[in-house]
Structures are given as C-alpha cells and as structure tokens.
Amino acid sequence: MSEQSPALSFSNEATASPVENLLQRIVASIRTGTLDALHDEIVTLHPADLGDLLEGLSRDERSTVLRTFGEELAAEVLIEVEGVVLEDVLEHLDDQVIADNIDELNSDDAIDLLEDLDEEAKQKILASLPAAKRWAAEDALRYPESSTGRLMAREFVTVPADWNVGQTIDFLRAEPDLPDDFYDIYLVDEAYRPIGSVSVSHVLRTRRQEPLAGVANGDLRLFSPMLDQEELAHTFRQYGFSSAPVTDEENGRLLGVVTLDDIVHVIDEEAEDDLMRLVGLGKESDINRSSLQTARNRFIWLTVNLATAVLASMVISLFQGTIQEIVALAVLMPIVASMGGNAGTQTLAVAVRALAMKDLRARKAVQFITREALVGLFNGVGFAVIAFVFSALWFQDLRLGVVIGIAMLVNLVVAGISGTLVPIILDRLKVDPANASAVFLTTITDVVGFLVFLGLAAAFLV
Amino acid sequence: MSEQSPALSFSNEATASPVENLLQRIVASIRTGTLDALHDEIVTLHPADLGDLLEGLSRDERSTVLRTFGEELAAEVLIEVEGVVLEDVLEHLDDQVIADNIDELNSDDAIDLLEDLDEEAKQKILASLPAAKRWAAEDALRYPESSTGRLMAREFVTVPADWNVGQTIDFLRAEPDLPDDFYDIYLVDEAYRPIGSVSVSHVLRTRRQEPLAGVANGDLRLFSPMLDQEELAHTFRQYGFSSAPVTDEENGRLLGVVTLDDIVHVIDEEAEDDLMRLVGLGKESDINRSSLQTARNRFIWLTVNLATAVLASMVISLFQGTIQEIVALAVLMPIVASMGGNAGTQTLAVAVRALAMKDLRARKAVQFITREALVGLFNGVGFAVIAFVFSALWFQDLRLGVVIGIAMLVNLVVAGISGTLVPIILDRLKVDPANASAVFLTTITDVVGFLVFLGLAAAFLV
C-alpha cells in the first residue's frame, strides 16, 4: 500500500464537482446516440454523485440514462434522490430490483426512502421485502413522521455488561452480521436494557483483561422513540453525542440507535424548514417539481398575504380625503410601512432562530423584548430625523416632516415589540414560530405605519 | 456495573432542560444570599448546561455566580458560551486559570474560543499557553476565518501504512498521548502523507495478523487548509464522511483532521448565517448583546432599505397628478407591490437554499428560471382575476379593475424571474446570494409594481 503513489486531489477543484463535466458529456452523447461509451464512468460513480447527475438531467435525458443503465446502478442512489427524480428512478426499475436494493440498505435509510413514496408504491415495495426487513420497516412507519422512532437504525452493537475488552473484541471478530461501521458499543443487562456505552476507540485502547464497564459511560441518556427529531438533534448538539440509545418506554429495552450522521440530515432539514416556513412555503422546496404544482403550493400563502394587504389598504381608504388634499402622503406612506416591515423582520429572524436553538428561555423573554423595543427606539429616533429632513426638503413642508418623523419612530418601536412578541406567543401556543410570524408581523407594521402617518396628517396637516 | 439500576430518564421531559428549574432557584438564592447551598448542583453540571445557565442569568446575577464559583467551573464552559457572556466569564477568571483551561481543550475547540476574543485578550491568553499549544493556536489563526485550517484538530491518530492490526492495537494501548475519542486512523507514508484511512470499528473487527491496508479506505480525499468550511461541510454531507484529512498543499503532509462533530457546528453556523443575511443582519445574532450595539448593527441595513423605499416613492411621485384625480390608486397600489414582494421572496428563499445546497447547477438554472416565470404567470392570472373582481366591486370601476389585474400579472411574473435571476447572478459574481438578494428583489417588485399600476392608470383612466 505504501508503494502506491497518492493522487493528491485538492478539493478546491472538487468544488467543481465531477458531475458538472460528466453532465455535459452525457447530454451530448444522448444526442449522438453514443451513451454506451460512458458506461464505465457512470456506473462507477459514488451514489451521491450519481444522484446529483440524475437530478441535473432533464426528465427525458434522465429516462434515457435510466433505461440504459438502470439495473446496474448502485442501490444507494435510491437514498440520494428525492421527490420527482426519485419517482422517475422507481418507475424505471423493476419492483424486485427495488426490493433487493432496499434490502441492502440500513434500516434508517430504507425508512427515509419509503416514507417519501405514495401509499401504493410503498405497499408494493414492502410486500416484496424479506420478512425481517419488512417487519422493521413497518414498525418504523408506525412512529410519527419526524420522530426518533423513524430516525433510529435497528442495526447496532450490544454486548453483555459484564464482558471484558477481550471478549468484546473476539465477539466482534467472529460475528459476521454487524453494521458496516459503528462508533459506540452498548452494554445491556439481561432484560436488554442499555446500562452503558463505550466508544469504539476506548475499546481499542484498553487491554483485553479489563472489564468493559471500566471504560464505559454509565451515565447514559435514554430517548423515547416518540421524541421529535428536532429535540433529539438539540440534545446531540448540547452534549456532543456520537450516538444515542432509543428505548421502549414501558420495559426499557433497547430498540434502536441514532447516530450523528442521521442528526446532520435532521439539522439540514430543520434549517430548510425554518427558512421555507418563514416565507410561507411549508415543507416543500423541490426545485424539480412542476410549475403548476409549485404555483398551487404557493397560492394559499399569497392569498393570506392578499388578505393582509387588503386590510392595510382599508386603513388607507379611511384617509382618501386627506390624500386627495395632500398627495405627498401617498408618495411617502410606503416608506413608513416598508421601514417598519424590515426592522420587524430583522427582530423576527433573530427571535425565530433563538427559539429554534433554545437560546430564548422564559427568563430571557422579557429582557429580549425590552432590548428590541429599545433598539426600535434608537433606530426610530435616527430614522425619524432622517425622514424629517428629507421630507421637509423634498416637499418644502416642515409639518409634513414632523408627521413622518413621528410615524417612523412609532412604527419602529412597534416593529421591535411585535417582532419579538409574535414569535414568542406562537411558541408558547406550541405553533412553530417560523410558520406564521412573518405575515402577522408585516400586517401589524403596515397597519400601524399607515394609520399613524395618515392619522397624524389628517389631524394636523389638513 | 450490571447491578446498577438504570434511571430511565426519558428525554421528553429533558426538553424542559435541567437548567430552567435551577435558574429560578439560583435567582432566588442570590436574593436571599444563600447561593452557596447550590454549590454541588452548579459545579457538577454538564459544561453545556452550565453555559446555558450563565446565558440565562442577567449580567449582575452572572457576576455573582462567577465570583462565587468561578475557579471551580469546568474548563469546557469556555467553549459553551459566546459573545457578551464569554466576555463576562473571562473577566472573572484569572488569566493563568484561563490558560490552564485552554490547555486542556482540543486544539480545534481552543481556536474556536480564541478567535472570538478581541486582540488584547487573545494575545494575553496566547502568551500564557505552553509553547506547543501556543504554536498550534498561532498556526491556526494564520488561516482565514471559516477556513478548514481553523476548523481542523491537530490531535489525530496516524500509523505507518505497512502495519498490521496487531501492531496498531498494541501502539494504541501503549500510547498515552492520544485524542480522547476518534473515529478514523490515518495510514501515512515515510513523508507523513496520508495514503489511507481505516475506521476504528473495522480495526476492532479484524484479526491481529491482517495488514491494516487490507481494511483501509485507500481512495482518500484530501483537503486544503484554505478550503472554505462550507465547501468542506458540503463534501462531508455528500459522501457521508466521519472525518477528513487536511494536508499541506506543497508537500502533501498531514496537517490535521476535521471530524463530523465539527461539521455539525459549521452547518448550524451557516444555516444561521443564511437566515440572518437574508434579513440584513450579517453574522451577528447574539441575543445577549446590548440594545445600542444591536441598533448600530442594524442601522446600515435599514439605511439601504430606506434608500430603496425612497426610490419606490420617487416612482409614485411621478404620478401625483393621476393619484390626485383617482385617489383609489393610492389605496390599491400597496397591494400590487406587496404581492410582488412576497411572491418574489418565496422564489428567492428556494433559490438561495438550492444554491447553498449546490442543487442549483448551471444546467438547471435556465430550467429553474423558466419554472419560476411560469409559476408567476399561473398565480399572476389567478390573482389578476381576484384583484379585478375585488377592485371593480369596491370602487365600482371596471377599468380600474382591469388596470390592477394587469399590474398584478406583470408584477408576479417579474417577481418570479427576478427572484431567481438576482441570486443566481450574485452567486456567479461570487457574492453570497443570501447577502443582498432580498433588498434588490423588493426594490424591483416595488418599482415595477408602482410603475405598471400607476403608469397604466395614467394612460387609460385619466
């Protein structure tokens, strides 16, 4: 091995992934009917790159590639694609091929794949799985979506708690049916309850005759399969786990193990969720979905937005007479509303993130709201002065400047307070604050902005 | 160990963290001067919980706790707090205590801590570190922020590439100076270049006489210390690494190793960054920062927003005469702008996320822009009809309804196109699309919304 000259491939170039170049050649070779020439390159791709490749092709091109090489592609590509592309891949593979491939996956990956399928496809695949695997998959699907029970792997390593290091190593060397890779070994009692864990590197560093319990972590945190995956991810972060045991709530038996690589997926998913929900997009951000489906998906949120915009324009309509007299009000009023909306959204983003990371505890809430109100006050004073000077000069009207200045100040303070209060209240009501905060917030800042600005104008300028 | 009865603590309750309850008792005991009674509970806390505790206290309460127990608190609490709270903790600890504590940390954690300090504090701590540690820290700080060179640990396990499993196990059992925990062992040649890696669980499962190279992964991806941490995280995700070797670009020597738990921090940081930058908040989201600092931090972005809002109101001012004649225009115009802004932001969020996850490749871009234009068209037609009916009824004016309908349609299509084009262009220009897209986008939808709506009204209604 040491003769082998290592190809030093720096991953700066790897940023331009191997897929990008191959994609272009595939498209060209499909046109010239010479796709077979790329056979070796395609079937030896890493499954993750193969997934990217399939996602990078158009629907027709994907079909051609799948028809040509379908049966030879690695099982793991199934867990590397999702949504529309996954449906295409499944359509081109024989059910038995799919079942065989799923059988090769770890149970957590198999579930990850199955849960995305529609009911019919799911049942067909389940039926063609070997009994043990089918049982495990059906068991996992019984747990709610995004629960720890769905996430956990049912393949893990346990040894009796009274073994020593030597016995453990001998067992691991003899046992063929182990997960391909694992970080922790769980010590279980006679009732199969986990009572400690030992990291593989500690086993490796300890002499054969030493009892495993001597190097084990006996202060084990146990998790329920019903726990939400986001809560679990938070605990992994907090305590730096590499894996965690999931146990039956009734009898304490070890049911499965969640590993850090699963948690990475959860964190990615939750970050995407938070961002998407903030703009009203629910869970769905598949860029391969059709435009009609996507339009339908966004229609609801835009309707909510329309309703709130109408509310704001009703406020404006109360002051039609005033606007007709001083048309400068129509010119300036969007500035007040826009500044409030933006200041509020800044506060909102900080609050939503702090709530998601559990940094915003009960005791902190009052402190945080006060700070944001003060931030609104400070910036409100600043922008009130700017707005006063600017408007007074533009429209040659000092009193108009005073009115917009006051409206700006009030709206920025309101933005600070509601940007914190809205998500905190939603969180207490067990509604995900990322979900609906933005629409509530901009409605508040629009209505307050228009009302204060036009109201003051009606009272003092006309 | 097996006699020990395991306390089955389900982590559903653990959601209400141990800290919340203790916090209240600490505050009460500070008031009554009986803080000492909580000594045992506080000093035995997990460092992560202790960090949460300190962050949950007010500044004065935190000082009291630090003055009372400062020297006894675990070194690791230093890496569990940040920003203002970290400054408080450092202020209350003797420099030598800090240096001793940092000496106990792994090099990557030590860097993570040092890089957040101001220059003076950093130099003071560096000076009091033992030579080897100081050299490692100074070396790390030479790499740019958010680079792989900052992230990597300088403690890792290497063995000669021609060793067998038995030699490796004997070495690990004899060597006292190893990282506390590790997942992979790196095989190096005579020039200390990594030529393979083997996961610890594979070592454990293989017989002593087998050569390590037989169970090693020889297809090793090497990373430059200059690589951006976000790129590195993407590669970890893509290929499911548990660790990755960082090598010198010139001579290929192994410099450090990045592990999956570091990547979890990177992913969290980047998700927070993307969200914060989308609302113009830069890197900073510390909820413990003072209101004045926070206000200053947000002032710049709000000024940019003010400038774009003024641009939009200049467009409105072009049509003052029209508005004075038909004041309903002032009532309805924010609806057109708001719908465009929201539809554009939805598209933008999907595009920014897809760019961050590298799902939006060159070939996909045209397809994606086309889809979003179509989504805008479909929803544009829908909301054009709604706006037509609604406005025609409200103001009893069919022609006004037609004008707002057309403006709505145009603005939603423009929102779809610019919501994709703006981030894609910024990305090509190597500007982080999360950074400035939102402000560009809403400027476009505001200007287009007002211009089309008021322009059509001026042309056809007056």
Side-chain angles (χ1 to χ4, degrees):
Chain A
M1 182 118 198
S2 53
E3 302 88 300
Q4 213 180 291
S5 136
L8 290 179
S9 66
F10 272 104
S11 281
N12 279 352
E13 309 120 48
T15 306
S17 114
V19 173
E20 207 66 65
N21 168 283
L22 188 53
L23 262 179
Q24 288 166 9
R25 283 156 51 219
I26 288 178
V27 174
S29 68
I30 287 177
R31 275 200 209 107
T32 55
T34 55
L35 187 57
D36 281 329
L38 297 174
H39 171 274
D40 294 353
E41 262 183 279
I42 293 175
V43 299
T44 57
L45 273 180
H46 187 287
D49 291 328
L50 184 56
D52 280 357
L53 185 85
L54 292 174
E55 289 181 333
L57 294 169
S58 74
R59 196 145 192 201
D60 289 344
E61 294 159 354
R62 194 154 55 230
S63 290
T64 310
V65 170
L66 287 169
R67 255 186 284 111
T68 318
F69 306 118
E71 315 263 309
E72 287 181 76
L73 301 180
E76 289 83 1
V77 73
L78 288 172
I79 57 167
E80 300 290 347
V81 293
E82 49 189 10
V84 177
V85 178
L86 175 60
E87 285 162 29
D88 281 358
V89 172
L90 289 173
E91 206 174 281
H92 280 87
L93 294 182
D94 186 74
D95 284 344
Q96 195 50 52
V97 174
I98 296 172
D100 290 348
N101 280 344
I102 289 182
D103 192 29
E104 284 175 37
L105 298 174
N106 266 344
S107 55
D108 51 343
D109 290 333
I111 299 314
D112 197 31
L113 167 62
L114 283 169
E115 68 183 1
D116 285 345
L117 299 179
D118 61 42
E119 201 49 39
E120 192 192 356
K122 199 192 294 178
Q123 292 307 333
K124 237 162 80 181
I125 290 176
L126 278 174
S128 46
L129 281 177
K133 207 83 180 188
R134 183 173 69 233
W135 178 84
E138 285 174 346
D139 182 58
L141 291 170
R142 251 192 296 275
Y143 293 108
E145 219 181 316
S146 305
S147 69
T148 298
R150 284 261 179 119
L151 197 63
M152 67 188 182
R154 280 150 184 83
E155 301 84 11
F156 45 85
V157 182
T158 56
V159 298
D162 55 3
W163 276 17
N164 64 25
V165 170
Q167 286 172 296
T168 306
I169 293 182
D170 293 341
F171 161 73
L172 294 174
R173 285 182 183 155
E175 173 65 49
D177 202 20
L178 289 177
D180 181 47
D181 213 349
F182 49 93
Y183 308 135
D184 296 298
I185 296 173
Y186 286 89
L187 284 62
V188 291
D189 65 11
E190 319 73 47
Y192 212 69
R193 290 179 300 204
I195 58 174
S197 75
V198 53
S199 88
V200 178
S201 64
H202 285 140
V203 176
L204 210 48
R205 296 173 61 179
T206 310
R207 297 189 185 278
R208 288 185 63 89
Q209 59 277 16
E210 299 275 334
L212 261 194
V215 287
N217 163 30
D219 185 20
L220 209 55
R221 247 183 130 93
L222 308 174
F223 296 91
S224 157
M226 296 302 291
L227 185 68
D228 185 84
Q229 61 176 16
E230 200 168 354
E231 297 291 333
L232 184 69
H234 181 257
T235 314
F236 263 79
R237 264 193 208 108
Q238 179 86 341
Y239 302 112
F241 295 150
S242 52
S243 78
V246 183
T247 55
D248 190 306
E249 292 196 51
E250 274 171 35
N251 55 33
R253 285 173 58 89
L254 185 59
L255 297 174
V257 169
V258 178
T259 50
L260 187 56
D261 52 311
D262 302 317
I263 295 297
V264 169
H265 289 288
V266 172
I267 293 177
D268 274 335
E269 257 180 59
E270 301 291 343
E272 173 150 333
D273 267 22
D274 277 358
L275 182 61
M276 293 303 147
R277 274 191 286 215
L278 213 55
V279 296
L281 284 184
K283 285 217 150 207
E284 187 266 311
S285 66
D286 183 352
I287 64 166
N288 294 300
R289 199 170 286 263
S290 82
S291 46
L292 201 60
Q293 278 173 304
T294 308
R296 206 169 41 201
N297 185 40
R298 296 190 192 161
F299 192 84
I300 298 164
W301 176 260
L302 290 174
T303 306
V304 175
N305 181 61
L306 179 64
T308 69
V310 168
L311 196 67
S313 59
M314 282 174 172
V315 173
I316 300 173
S317 75
L318 299 177
F319 301 97
Q320 291 189 60
T322 317
I323 292 172
Q324 203 145 27
E325 271 187 70
I326 313 167
V327 77
L329 296 177
V331 175
L332 294 175
M333 67 184 187
I335 297 181
V336 179
S338 154
M339 291 295 284
N342 268 275
T345 309
Q346 290 186 328
T347 303
L348 181 67
V350 175
V352 165
R353 183 72 191 170
L355 285 168
M357 302 305 279
K358 298 193 187 295
D359 286 338
L360 191 53
R361 291 160 187 290
R363 282 206 76 233
K364 277 270 166 218
V366 176
Q367 201 175 318
F368 182 52
I369 296 167
T370 313
R371 185 193 78 166
E372 291 298 327
L374 282 174
V375 170
L377 185 68
F378 294 147
N379 279 337
V381 170
F383 286 106
V385 172
I386 295 173
F388 164 76
V389 172
F390 165 82
S391 308
L393 287 177
W394 187 2
F395 293 99
Q396 297 289 316
D397 185 341
L398 275 182
R399 293 192 311 155
L400 181 64
V402 172
V403 165
I404 194 173
I406 295 174
M408 187 74 91
L409 176 61
V410 171
N411 210 19
L412 288 198
V413 174
V414 168
I417 295 172
S418 44
T420 47
L421 265 187
V422 168
I424 288 174
I425 290 172
L426 288 175
D427 187 59
R428 293 283 155 86
L429 298 176
K430 309 266 171 222
V431 177
D432 186 328
N435 224 329
S437 295
V439 67
F440 274 118
L441 178 73
T442 49
T443 308
I444 295 173
T445 52
D446 276 357
V447 167
V448 170
F450 292 135
L451 197 61
V452 175
F453 179 54
L454 297 176
L456 287 174
F460 298 109
L461 301 186
V462 187
Chain B
M1 180 116 199
S2 53
E3 300 88 300
Q4 214 180 291
S5 135
L8 291 177
S9 66
F10 272 105
S11 282
N12 278 351
E13 309 116 52
T15 306
S17 116
V19 173
E20 207 65 65
N21 169 282
L22 188 53
L23 261 179
Q24 288 167 10
R25 282 155 53 217
I26 288 178
V27 175
S29 68
I30 288 177
R31 276 201 208 106
T32 56
T34 55
L35 188 56
D36 282 327
L38 298 174
H39 172 275
D40 294 352
E41 264 182 278
I42 294 175
V43 298
T44 57
L45 274 179
H46 187 287
D49 291 328
L50 183 56
D52 280 358
L53 185 84
L54 292 173
E55 289 181 332
L57 294 169
S58 75
R59 197 144 191 202
D60 290 342
E61 294 159 354
R62 192 155 56 228
S63 291
T64 310
V65 171
L66 287 168
R67 256 186 283 111
T68 318
F69 306 116
E71 316 263 307
E72 287 181 78
L73 301 179
E76 288 83 1
V77 73
L78 288 172
I79 56 167
E80 300 289 348
V81 293
E82 49 188 10
V84 177
V85 179
L86 176 60
E87 285 163 29
D88 281 358
V89 173
L90 290 173
E91 207 172 280
H92 280 87
L93 294 183
D94 186 74
D95 284 345
Q96 195 51 51
V97 174
I98 296 172
D100 289 349
N101 281 342
I102 289 181
D103 192 30
E104 284 175 37
L105 298 173
N106 266 344
S107 55
D108 51 343
D109 289 333
I111 298 315
D112 197 30
L113 168 61
L114 282 169
E115 67 181 2
D116 284 345
L117 300 178
D118 62 41
E119 201 49 39
E120 194 194 355
K122 198 192 293 178
Q123 292 307 332
K124 239 164 73 180
I125 289 175
L126 279 175
S128 48
L129 282 177
K133 207 82 181 191
R134 183 172 69 234
W135 178 85
E138 285 174 346
D139 181 59
L141 291 169
R142 252 192 296 275
Y143 293 109
E145 217 179 318
S146 305
S147 69
T148 298
R150 283 261 179 120
L151 196 63
M152 68 188 181
R154 280 149 184 85
E155 301 84 11
F156 46 83
V157 182
T158 57
V159 297
D162 56 3
W163 276 16
N164 65 26
V165 170
Q167 285 172 296
T168 306
I169 293 182
D170 293 341
F171 161 73
L172 293 174
R173 286 184 182 154
E175 174 65 47
D177 202 20
L178 289 176
D180 180 48
D181 212 349
F182 49 92
Y183 309 135
D184 297 297
I185 296 172
Y186 286 89
L187 283 63
V188 292
D189 66 11
E190 319 73 48
Y192 211 68
R193 291 179 298 205
I195 58 175
S197 75
V198 53
S199 88
V200 176
S201 64
H202 285 141
V203 176
L204 210 49
R205 297 173 61 178
T206 310
R207 297 187 187 280
R208 289 184 63 88
Q209 59 277 15
E210 299 275 336
L212 261 194
V215 286
N217 164 28
D219 184 21
L220 208 56
R221 249 182 130 93
L222 308 174
F223 296 91
S224 157
M226 297 302 291
L227 183 68
D228 185 84
Q229 61 177 16
E230 200 168 354
E231 297 291 333
L232 184 68
H234 181 257
T235 314
F236 264 80
R237 264 194 208 106
Q238 177 86 342
Y239 301 113
F241 296 150
S242 52
S243 80
V246 183
T247 55
D248 190 306
E249 293 195 50
E250 274 169 34
N251 54 34
R253 283 175 57 90
L254 185 59
L255 296 174
V257 169
V258 178
T259 50
L260 187 56
D261 52 312
D262 302 319
I263 295 297
V264 170
H265 288 288
V266 171
I267 292 177
D268 273 334
E269 256 180 58
E270 302 290 344
E272 173 151 333
D273 267 23
D274 277 359
L275 182 61
M276 293 303 146
R277 276 193 285 215
L278 213 53
V279 297
L281 283 184
K283 284 216 153 209
E284 188 263 312
S285 65
D286 184 351
I287 64 167
N288 295 299
R289 198 170 285 263
S290 81
S291 45
L292 202 61
Q293 278 173 303
T294 309
R296 205 168 44 201
N297 185 41
R298 296 190 192 162
F299 192 85
I300 298 163
W301 177 260
L302 289 175
T303 307
V304 174
N305 181 61
L306 179 64
T308 68
V310 167
L311 197 66
S313 58
M314 283 175 171
V315 173
I316 300 173
S317 75
L318 299 177
F319 301 99
Q320 291 189 58
T322 316
I323 291 172
Q324 203 144 26
E325 271 187 70
I326 312 168
V327 79
L329 297 176
V331 175
L332 294 175
M333 69 187 182
I335 297 180
V336 179
S338 153
M339 291 296 284
N342 269 276
T345 309
Q346 291 187 328
T347 303
L348 182 67
V350 175
V352 165
R353 183 73 192 170
L355 286 167
M357 302 306 278
K358 297 192 186 298
D359 286 339
L360 192 53
R361 292 160 186 289
R363 282 206 77 232
K364 276 272 164 211
V366 176
Q367 201 175 320
F368 182 53
I369 296 168
T370 313
R371 186 193 77 166
E372 291 297 327
L374 282 174
V375 171
L377 184 68
F378 294 148
N379 279 335
V381 170
F383 286 105
V385 173
I386 295 173
F388 163 76
V389 173
F390 165 81
S391 308
L393 288 178
W394 188 3
F395 293 98
Q396 296 291 315
D397 184 343
L398 275 182
R399 291 192 313 155
L400 180 64
V402 173
V403 165
I404 194 173
I406 295 173
M408 188 74 92
L409 175 61
V410 171
N411 211 17
L412 288 197
V413 174
V414 168
I417 295 171
S418 43
T420 47
L421 266 186
V422 168
I424 289 174
I425 290 172
L426 287 175
D427 186 59
R428 294 284 154 85
L429 299 175
K430 309 268 171 219
V431 176
D432 186 329
N435 225 328
S437 294
V439 67
F440 274 118
L441 177 72
T442 49
T443 309
I444 294 174
T445 52
D446 277 356
V447 167
V448 171
F450 292 136
L451 198 61
V452 175
F453 179 55
L454 297 175
L456 286 175
F460 298 110
L461 302 186
V462 187

